[in-house]
């Protein structure tokens, strides 16, 4: 019962109930007509009784400052009438609750407001007082400040429809101004509705901002085309890799850096990156001065599958590099070994790539499938299908590349004064600097996308994220050997002739092919031809897969005799092949090398073993 001995009633689904009793667990209600008792918990009562419609207190965050100040002034006047306490906490006798009535206080307040130039009618004051008691300060906010402005409420529907079509059509156009959009939309709508009323110039701009928001109609053309490929009629799913290696992204990008080539020229570097999405670990990378091939990505895969602990020591190589490049700052041998030991080994299971010819070739796909993985192709013209590795290139430019000599910026307008060629880094120096940055800086930098499940506000490093997963699920994968790597190379199919096999206008032969000459393989799809593994970086040898699946190394015919051919002119080395071989040697990947023929034995003639008659000529 209330203080005035009146029953408390609530409306539930059109029936009126009166409160009979209440405990800490719930309340007991009695139907006003039938007398039926009903006991419900407080949580059930909150869902049964409809709440009163009230303005949200968060509306105060959206109103202008002057409107909020005016509401605070009125609230102070109302508080003085209700509590007797005025501005700055002063209590005037005219508003003392013990000696005055509410009616007297309201009359004095209306007179005071009239003198201050803020007078209002008695009914208006009572209306504000009621809203203030019900909604608080929100009830005193001027409703005009909360009214939403709809810019197209007075614009013809045909104009809006044609403007939307014009904004969407900007995808196929080069970036222009809003004036061009207005002219195109005007011509489009007047061609169908000649007498239509057009908006004013300012209204056109407001409509373009509203209808073209997020579409980059007058912004980046590349971003505009990328956004147009997104689905508009469904929610976008979120891919969440659960384990390291379950989602790996690979991509190649031209770095904003120039290096010095062996010929003394300057050239931009192409970086191929393999990245684990779960831990943001950079698993493998390769640098090339020319366009990448499928075998380059096969080397990238082999590098990722070779643990750093199994790789050869880089101590001597790094020391030689310090001597050749005095200004280079590399980690000490102790620091390098410490960070290299902490770098996680992650086996790539699902690899997402774009639709470039170097990725969709059978060489790379077969290499991944032979190791138990799968290749996932991104959507056409949609770099957002592999956003993590795309964003990683930007991170590398901002955290690593921009601090090096030869940085050219992301566009010609950001390029500074050209660095002399002799001060540019070589590709070998760049590779070692990047290796140090990956294992010491990037792998130990907290990432906003890596969060601790128990403490979501705590950011983890790639090393710690991969380490947490390793404690949860154990993975066992056997690293590659040389035979496995050869099997991942590109396959060609040839017949075995009397002179061996012919690949790329070169003839290769081996004694082990004697049993296969003139015979057909057991692959009718290839018309009896034999499978030959070819390495584009090693033209001296190919590998024929025999009848039992064995690898038969075949050397180029005549290569042994060419060892003794005099060098009349210097031959330019293939720097791409040399770079690939250097990557394999430094990372310990089983890069195939042709066996070298032994040199001719040295023989010294002893005078005692010879007879003088042996030197006499025979006539």
């Amino acid at each position: 019962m209330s203080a005035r001995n009146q029953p408390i009633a609530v409306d539930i689904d059109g029936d009126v109930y009166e409160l009979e009793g209440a405990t800490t667990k719930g309340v007991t209600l009695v139907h006003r007509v039938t007398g039926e008792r009903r006991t419900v918990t407080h949580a059930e009562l909150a869902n049964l009784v409809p709440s009163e419609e009230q303005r949200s207190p968060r509306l105060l965050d959206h109103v202008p400052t002057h409107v909020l100040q005016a509401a605070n002034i009125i609230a102070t006047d109302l508080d003085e009438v209700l509590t007797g306490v005025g501005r700055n906490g002063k209590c005037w006798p005219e508003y003392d609750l013990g000696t005055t009535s509410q009616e007297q206080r309201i009359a004095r307040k209306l007179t005071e407001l009239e003198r201050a130039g803020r007078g209002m009618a008695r009914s208006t004051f009572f209306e504000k007082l009621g809203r203030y008691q019900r909604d608080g300060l929100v009830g005193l906010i001027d409703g005009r400040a909360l009214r939403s402005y709809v810019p197209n409420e007075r614009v013809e529907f045909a104009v809006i429809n044609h403007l939307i079509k014009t904004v969407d059509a900007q995808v196929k156009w080069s970036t222009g101004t809003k004036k061009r959009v207005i002219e195109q939309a005007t011509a489009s709508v007047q061609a169908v509705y000649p007498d239509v009323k057009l908006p004013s110039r300012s209204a056109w701009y407001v409509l373009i901002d509203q209808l073209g928001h997020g579409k980059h109609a007058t912004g980046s053309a590349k971003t505009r085309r990328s956004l147009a490929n997104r689905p508009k009629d469904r929610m976008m799913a979120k891919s969440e890799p659960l384990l390291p290696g379950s989602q790996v992204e690979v991509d190649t990008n031209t770095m904003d850096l120039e290096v010095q080539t062996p010929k003394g020229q300057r050239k931009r570097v192409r970086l191929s990156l393999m990245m684990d999405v779960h831990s943001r670990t950079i698993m493998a990378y390769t640098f090339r001065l020319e366009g990448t091939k499928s075998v380059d990505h096969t080397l990238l895969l082999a590098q990722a599958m070779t643990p750093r602990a199994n790789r050869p020591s880089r101590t001597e190589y790094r020391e030689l590099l310090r001597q050749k490049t005095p200004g280079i700052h590399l980690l000490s041998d102790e620091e390098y070994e410490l960070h290299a030991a902490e770098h996680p080994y992650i086996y790539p299971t699902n690899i997402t790539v774009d639709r470039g010819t170097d990725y969709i070739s059978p060489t790379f796909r077969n290499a991944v499938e032979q190791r138990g993985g799968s290749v996932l192709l991104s959507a056409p013209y949609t770099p957002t299908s592999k956003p993590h590795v795309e964003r990683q290139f930007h991170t590398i430019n901002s955290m690593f590349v921009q601090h090096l000599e030869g940085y050219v910026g992301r566009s010609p307008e950001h390029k500074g004064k050209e660095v002399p060629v002799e001060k540019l880094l070589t590709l070998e120096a760049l590779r070692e600097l990047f290796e140090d940055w990956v294992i010491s800086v990037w792998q130990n930098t907290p990432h906003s996308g890596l969060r601790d499940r128990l403490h979501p506000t705590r950011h983890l490093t790639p090393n710690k994220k991969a380490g947490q997963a390793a404690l949860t699920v154990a993975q066992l994968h056997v690293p590659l050997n040389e035979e496995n790597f050869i099997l991942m190379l590109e396959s060609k199919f040839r017949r075995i002739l009397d002179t061996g096999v012919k690949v790329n206008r070169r003839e290769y032969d081996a004694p082990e092919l004697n049993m296969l000459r003139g015979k057909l393989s057991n692959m009718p799809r290839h018309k009896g031809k034999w499978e030959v593994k070819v390495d584009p970086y090693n033209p001296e040898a190919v590998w024929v897969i025999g009848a039992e699946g064995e690898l038969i190394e075949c050397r180029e015919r005549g290569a042994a005799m060419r060892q003794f051919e005099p060098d009349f002119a210097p031959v330019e080395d293939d720097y791409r092949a040399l770079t690939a071989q250097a990557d394999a040697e430094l990372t310990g990947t089983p890069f195939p090398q042709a066996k070298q023929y032994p040199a001719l034995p040295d023989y010294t003639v002893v005078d005692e073993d010879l007879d003088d008659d042996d030197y006499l000529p025979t006539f």
Side-chain angles (χ1 to χ4, degrees):
M1 306 292 288
S2 67
R4 297 182 180 180
N5 204 26
Q6 294 180 353
I8 299 177
V10 294
D11 186 357
I12 301 177
D13 296 334
D15 296 331
V16 179
Y17 290 84
E18 295 181 356
L19 177 65
E20 184 181 49
T23 65
T24 56
K25 296 182 179 180
V27 296
T28 301
L29 304 176
V30 179
H31 197 281
R32 177 172 289 181
V33 178
T34 63
E36 177 186 0
R37 284 179 170 78
R38 183 175 182 180
T39 301
V40 295
T41 63
H42 294 290
E44 294 174 343
L45 183 64
N47 296 327
L48 292 174
V49 179
S51 60
E52 298 181 0
E53 293 187 1
Q54 295 181 343
R55 287 181 174 181
S56 171
R58 305 311 306 178
L59 288 175
L60 300 178
D61 300 336
H62 309 290
V63 298
T65 304
H66 69 279
V67 176
L68 184 60
Q69 291 177 349
N72 283 320
I73 293 174
I74 295 295
T76 303
D77 295 329
L78 296 177
D79 284 334
E80 191 172 16
V81 172
L82 295 175
T83 64
V85 181
R87 288 177 174 82
N88 300 323
K90 294 183 178 181
C91 299
W92 301 98
E94 294 85 354
Y95 295 97
D96 186 5
L97 298 182
T99 60
T100 60
S101 63
Q102 178 173 316
E103 181 64 28
Q104 292 174 336
R105 296 193 298 274
I106 292 175
R108 290 181 181 134
K109 179 56 67 176
L110 290 175
T111 303
E112 181 181 330
L113 294 176
E114 185 69 26
R115 293 174 181 175
R118 298 187 292 114
M120 65 180 66
R122 178 184 178 86
S123 59
T124 303
F125 185 88
F126 272 98
E127 180 185 359
K128 291 182 180 294
L129 180 63
R131 285 186 294 166
Y132 182 64
Q133 290 178 318
R134 185 182 72 250
D135 299 330
L137 184 62
V138 178
L140 301 178
I141 298 296
D142 191 343
R144 291 172 295 180
L146 301 175
R147 185 174 60 185
S148 299
Y149 172 68
V150 183
N152 57 353
E153 58 183 350
R154 297 182 180 179
V155 181
E156 296 288 344
F157 178 75
V159 175
I160 297 177
N161 189 25
H162 282 263
L163 179 58
I164 293 176
K165 294 180 179 179
T166 303
V167 170
D168 293 340
Q170 299 303 307
V171 175
K172 62 182 180 180
W173 287 78
S174 299
T175 300
T177 61
K178 293 180 181 179
K179 182 180 179 181
R180 188 185 73 179
V181 177
I182 296 174
E183 294 174 352
Q184 292 176 346
T186 302
S188 175
V189 68
Q190 287 183 341
V192 182
Y193 306 99
D195 300 330
V196 68
K197 181 181 178 181
L198 298 176
S200 63
R201 186 178 185 84
S202 60
W204 272 118
Y205 281 94
V206 173
L207 287 172
I208 293 176
D209 291 338
Q210 181 192 36
L211 301 178
H213 177 71
K215 298 181 179 180
H216 288 256
T218 57
S220 170
K222 182 179 179 181
T223 305
R224 186 164 62 248
R225 290 190 297 268
S226 179
L227 293 175
N229 291 327
R230 293 182 178 180
K232 305 296 189 301
D233 55 348
R234 62 177 176 83
M235 294 178 58
M236 298 184 66
K238 179 177 176 59
S239 176
E240 190 68 28
L242 302 179
L243 293 173
S246 60
Q247 182 178 347
V248 175
E249 297 177 355
V250 180
D251 197 14
T252 302
N253 196 6
T254 301
M255 302 180 68
D256 298 334
L257 182 72
E258 292 180 339
V259 297
Q260 180 181 357
T261 67
K263 298 180 180 180
Q265 300 175 346
R266 61 176 70 247
K267 199 163 189 178
R268 298 277 290 272
V269 185
R270 293 183 62 83
L271 171 63
S272 296
L273 207 65
M274 177 178 287
M275 182 178 182
D276 172 52
V277 178
H278 176 82
S279 64
R280 302 300 198 275
T281 295
I282 297 179
M283 303 168 55
Y285 58 88
T286 58
F287 291 97
R288 296 291 183 269
L289 294 180
E290 304 291 342
T292 55
K293 298 181 180 180
S294 58
V295 69
D296 292 319
H297 306 315
T298 305
L299 291 171
L300 191 72
L301 179 65
Q303 181 186 146
M305 293 181 177
T306 305
R308 267 180 166 75
N310 291 353
R311 300 180 183 182
S313 175
R314 307 167 75 104
T315 303
E316 296 182 2
Y317 177 80
R318 291 166 67 89
E319 184 59 31
L320 292 175
L321 198 58
R322 291 189 185 97
Q323 297 176 7
K324 183 179 179 180
T325 314
I328 192 173
H329 299 286
L330 299 178
L331 296 176
S332 64
D333 296 338
E334 294 76 12
E335 291 175 334
Y336 177 81
E337 294 297 336
L338 177 63
H339 290 297
E342 296 295 329
H343 192 278
Y345 172 68
I346 299 175
Y347 193 90
T349 304
N350 299 309
I351 302 179
T352 303
V353 299
D354 56 28
R355 296 175 179 266
T357 56
D358 49 344
Y359 287 109
I360 63 177
S361 66
T363 302
F364 179 71
R365 295 178 63 92
N366 294 340
V368 176
E369 293 172 359
Q370 286 178 6
R371 304 309 300 171
S374 59
V375 177
L376 308 178
L377 298 181
S378 61
Y381 309 106
T382 310
T384 51
S385 296
K386 41 183 177 53
H388 306 90
V389 70
E390 294 280 358
R391 182 61 175 82
Q392 186 64 28
F393 287 114
H394 175 74
T395 303
I396 292 173
N397 281 332
S398 60
M399 295 181 62
F400 173 71
V401 177
Q402 70 169 339
H403 304 288
L404 302 177
E405 291 283 355
Y407 175 64
V408 297
R410 66 177 184 268
S411 64
E413 63 182 4
H414 294 87
K415 186 175 181 179
K417 187 177 180 180
E418 194 172 75
V419 178
V421 177
E422 57 271 12
K423 291 187 177 181
L424 296 177
L425 293 171
T426 62
L427 193 61
E428 293 77 15
L430 173 63
R431 181 169 49 204
E432 289 305 310
L433 288 173
F434 187 72
E435 169 76 8
D436 288 355
W437 179 81
V438 168
I439 63 176
S440 64
V441 179
W442 172 252
Q443 292 295 131
N444 295 291
T445 301
H447 195 285
S448 59
L450 306 178
R451 301 179 185 273
D452 193 326
R453 289 179 294 178
L454 298 179
H455 306 282
T457 58
R458 177 189 174 193
H459 298 168
L460 301 179
T461 65
N463 282 349
K464 290 183 179 179
K465 185 67 174 180
Q468 285 185 353
L471 295 176
T472 306
V473 179
Q475 302 183 37
L476 177 61
H477 297 285
V478 180
L480 290 176
N481 55 28
E482 184 174 346
E483 181 178 350
N484 296 137
F485 182 79
I486 293 175
L487 293 175
M488 296 187 340
L489 294 175
E490 180 181 3
S491 294
K492 294 183 180 297
F493 295 89
R494 298 290 187 269
R495 296 190 184 277
I496 301 178
L497 307 175
D498 294 338
T499 56
V501 294
K502 190 173 183 179
V503 179
N504 297 332
R505 299 182 180 180
R506 295 172 182 259
E507 293 182 338
Y508 299 88
D509 203 352
E512 292 82 359
L513 294 183
N514 294 335
M515 302 297 297
L516 305 179
R517 300 183 195 276
K519 295 184 179 181
L520 300 179
S521 68
N522 55 357
M523 292 183 290
R525 292 181 54 190
H526 299 284
K527 300 179 180 180
K529 296 181 180 180
W530 296 86
E531 184 176 3
V532 181
K533 291 294 183 179
V534 180
D535 179 13
Y537 293 146
N538 185 12
E540 297 180 358
V542 297
W543 292 264
V544 177
I545 299 181
E548 302 297 332
E550 73 279 8
L551 288 175
I552 303 174
E553 182 180 300
C554 302
R555 292 273 300 187
E556 184 184 2
R557 287 168 54 87
M561 297 303 298
R562 278 200 295 270
Q563 298 183 54
F564 309 102
E565 182 179 0
D567 295 331
F568 295 102
V571 180
E572 190 114 356
D573 291 326
D574 185 359
Y575 193 58
R576 175 198 290 272
L578 295 178
T579 305
Q581 293 178 9
D583 281 344
E585 293 174 0
L586 292 173
T587 59
T589 53
F591 191 79
Q593 298 289 342
K595 297 177 182 179
Q596 300 295 330
Y597 288 109
L600 294 178
D602 295 335
Y603 184 75
T604 304
V605 179
V606 183
D607 296 340
E608 291 80 354
D609 296 339
L610 297 176
D611 191 350
D612 293 340
D613 294 340
D614 294 337
Y615 293 96
L616 295 177
T618 303
F619 297 99

